[in-house]
């Protein structure tokens, strides 16, 4: 363990004590979970450390077990999950990790930066993007951050849809904030928006409102669940980010969630304000194409409280796709399970299965219990789990029979 004073791995430690541990460290090793909230949090902590001249390293690990504890005096910070050997933990328990990281970074002495592309200062836009990536509504849980960003001119509310690019066809085709009949199909998006003028741009206010209405109606008229009518609101009336790396706050969150697992190195650069926008958008498109296709072509089963989906998320026939590692697969399964939970599942818990890995999404609770049960009951040397009550992932014995896996999920979640 590190010799740094008062550096307990307490996920609920106040920002002041965490900042004190960070500022007194000789070196800080940040290990981030592969999701947009944790990635944004890691970026905020790193920017805060840079402001006080503390050297750091940022790594991304899907289950938090892929990066070993250093034996030197460096401080290990786990972001998005708990690690027994971590000196400091910044988790999403009780709120997004990025909001906790923002308070810690601000306590370190950073002044709020104006834009998400700015590498210096503490960036409220990055914190808000992480909040959205965690599935929270910033107006409800981070009103003070919204006010700071709005007063600085970094965000502004507008009509339309929350996409990362100005091209609405590209944005709706690849958005993973929603699954609609046209998702993943550029031609279908163009046909859906054919009645709206200048569908290739989101600059016209009236067109933005019309596009938002069309999307909401498309979701309501699809196979969507009652939850879908609420979930689609994440896509509507976005905050634009005039000087940010992406066109809207929700779009930024969408890209962060995708790139965290698809191209973690690019994701770290984006969170640190070092650029990488084009590569991040390419990763987002690959991620979305594979996930939306898996929803449409995957096999599903309903098991009294659990909805199981098996879809090919590896995307071997997606042009330019190189996602063959476990991190990318787990990231895609996480998005798949979330979208099926929100827009397809009649059951409260969704399990997106692949060989030896699973992503679980619950409406209220049960995801963490099921992930823990799988990693324990079908244990191997590399078995592990990570997550919370509503979203979790797990690695377990790939030789386990699918029927036994489903039975374990049902028993643990009830």
């Amino acid at each position: 363990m590190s010799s740094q004073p008062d550096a307990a791995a307490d996920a609920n430690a106040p920002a002041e004590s965490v900042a004190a541990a960070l500022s007194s460290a000789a070196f800080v090793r940040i290990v981030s979970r592969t999701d947009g909230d944790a990635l944004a949090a890691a970026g905020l902590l790193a920017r805060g450390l840079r402001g006080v001249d503390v050297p750091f390293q940022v790594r991304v690990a899907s289950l938090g077990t892929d990066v070993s504890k250093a034996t030197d005096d460096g401080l290990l910070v786990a972001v998005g999950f708990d690690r027994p050997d971590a000196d400091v933990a910044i988790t999403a328990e009780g709120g997004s990790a990025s909001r906790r990281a923002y308070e810690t970074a601000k306590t370190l002495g950073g002044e709020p930066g104006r834009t998400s592309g700015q590498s210096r200062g503490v960036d409220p836009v990055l914190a808000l993007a992480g909040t959205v990536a965690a599935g929270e509504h910033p107006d409800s849980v981070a009103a003070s951050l919204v006010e700071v960003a709005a007063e600085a001119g970094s965000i502004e509310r507008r009509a339309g849809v929350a996409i990362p690019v100005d091209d609405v066809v590209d944005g709706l085709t690849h958005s993973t904030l929603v699954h609609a009949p046209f998702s993943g199909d550029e031609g279908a998006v163009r046909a859906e928006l054919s009645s709206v003028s200048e569908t290739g741009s989101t600059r016209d206010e009236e067109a933005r409102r019309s596009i938002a209405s069309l999307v909401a109606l498309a979701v309501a008229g699809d196979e969507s669940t009652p939850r879908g009518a609420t979930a689609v609101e994440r896509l509507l009336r976005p905050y634009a980010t005039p000087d940010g790396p992406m066109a809207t706050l929700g779009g930024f969150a969408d890209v962060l969630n995708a790139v965290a697992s698809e191209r973690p190195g690019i994701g770290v650069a984006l969170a640190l304000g070092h650029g990488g926008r084009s590569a991040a958008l390419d990763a987002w498109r690959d991620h979305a194409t594979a996930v939306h296709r898996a929803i449409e072509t995957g096999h599903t089963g309903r098991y009294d409280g659990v909805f199981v989906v098996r879809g090919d998320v590896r995307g071997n026939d997606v042009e330019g796709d190189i996602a063959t590692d476990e991190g990318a697969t787990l990231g895609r399964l996480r998005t798949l399970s979330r979208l099926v939970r929100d827009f397809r599942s009649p059951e409260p818990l969704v399990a997106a299965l692949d060989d030896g890995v699973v992503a679980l999404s619950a409406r209220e609770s049960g995801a963490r219990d099921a992930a823990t049960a799988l990693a324990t009951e079908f244990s191997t040397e590399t078995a592990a789990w990570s997550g919370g009550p509503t979203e979790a992932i797990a690695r377990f014995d790939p030789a386990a029979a699918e029927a036994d896996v489903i039975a374990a999920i049902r028993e643990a979640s009830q």
Side-chain angles (χ1 to χ4, degrees):
M1 288 294 288
S2 166
S3 61
Q4 303 303 324
D6 301 321
D10 182 357
N12 297 311
E16 291 78 8
S17 63
V18 175
L22 294 177
S23 62
S24 62
F27 183 75
V28 176
R29 299 172 66 247
I30 301 172
V31 181
S32 166
R33 185 171 182 251
T34 50
D35 62 53
D37 178 34
L39 183 59
L44 288 161
L45 292 176
R47 293 185 190 202
L49 289 167
R50 184 163 47 206
V52 292
D53 297 322
V54 174
F56 61 85
Q57 178 193 57
V58 180
R59 295 282 302 276
V60 178
S62 58
L63 286 160
T65 59
D66 306 326
V67 180
S68 62
K69 176 74 168 74
T71 57
D72 58 21
D73 289 332
L75 195 75
L76 178 60
V77 180
V79 182
F81 45 67
D82 290 315
R83 278 182 54 139
D85 60 347
D87 299 303
V88 174
I90 303 289
T91 73
E93 293 291 333
S96 68
S98 51
R99 285 193 286 120
R100 289 202 61 226
Y102 177 83
E103 293 303 320
T104 299
K106 194 168 65 170
T107 304
L108 278 170
E111 292 298 326
R114 174 175 164 74
T115 71
S116 295
Q118 187 171 320
S119 60
R120 293 182 177 275
V122 184
D123 183 10
V125 173
L126 180 60
L128 288 169
T131 299
V132 176
E136 296 184 322
H137 296 281
D139 288 334
S140 300
V141 302
S144 61
L145 267 178
V146 170
E147 184 178 356
V148 169
E151 287 181 353
S154 298
I155 63 171
E156 55 185 39
R157 180 73 84 177
R158 75 176 191 196
V161 289
I163 54 179
V165 291
D166 289 330
D167 186 333
V168 70
V169 174
D170 181 18
L172 286 178
T173 299
H174 300 108
S175 173
T176 65
L177 297 181
V178 67
H179 181 77
F182 51 73
S183 294
D185 186 338
E186 183 176 320
V189 173
R190 290 190 183 279
E192 187 72 30
L193 302 182
S194 60
S195 62
V196 181
S197 61
E198 298 184 19
T199 56
S201 174
T202 58
R203 295 179 181 178
D204 180 79
E205 189 73 9
E206 185 59 36
R208 289 173 185 156
R209 283 193 289 270
S210 298
I211 290 166
S213 296
L214 284 172
V215 171
L217 288 171
V219 170
D222 190 28
E223 306 170 37
S224 186
T225 63
R227 181 184 174 93
T230 301
V232 74
E233 292 178 2
R234 297 183 68 199
L235 190 72
L236 309 178
R237 293 195 69 243
Y239 280 108
T241 53
D243 301 315
M246 304 298 164
T248 67
L249 196 62
F252 191 8
D254 200 14
V255 172
L256 285 172
N257 268 332
V259 77
S261 58
E262 297 283 333
R263 308 286 192 276
I266 297 298
V268 171
L270 187 67
L272 286 173
H274 290 169
R277 180 180 188 274
S278 179
L281 286 171
D282 286 342
W284 165 70
R285 294 183 185 102
D286 287 346
H287 185 88
T289 299
V291 169
H292 287 305
R293 182 184 53 202
I295 293 176
E296 295 302 326
T297 63
H299 301 286
T300 61
R302 189 174 179 180
Y303 300 91
D304 187 23
V306 179
F307 193 75
V308 176
V309 55
R310 253 196 181 273
D312 178 15
V313 295
R314 297 181 187 276
N316 293 331
D317 58 339
V318 176
E319 184 179 355
D321 188 272
I322 60 171
T324 57
D325 69 314
E326 184 189 71
T329 298
L330 276 168
R332 293 179 179 190
L333 288 174
R334 182 189 293 120
T335 302
L336 173 63
S337 66
R338 171 176 57 79
L339 287 175
V340 170
R341 176 197 66 188
D342 290 346
F343 297 98
R344 287 289 184 272
S345 175
E347 301 292 348
L349 177 68
V350 172
L353 279 172
D354 201 344
D355 296 334
V357 289
V358 65
L360 300 126
S361 293
R363 291 177 191 165
E364 295 182 359
S365 64
R368 176 168 51 198
D369 294 335
T372 306
L374 292 179
T376 303
E377 187 169 337
F378 306 105
S379 179
T380 65
E381 289 185 0
T382 60
W385 68 273
S386 176
T390 59
E391 290 195 6
I393 55 177
R395 180 198 298 134
F396 56 93
D397 186 354
E402 184 167 311
D404 293 337
V405 171
I406 294 171
I409 293 171
R410 288 183 58 200
E411 182 177 352
S413 60
Q414 291 177 354

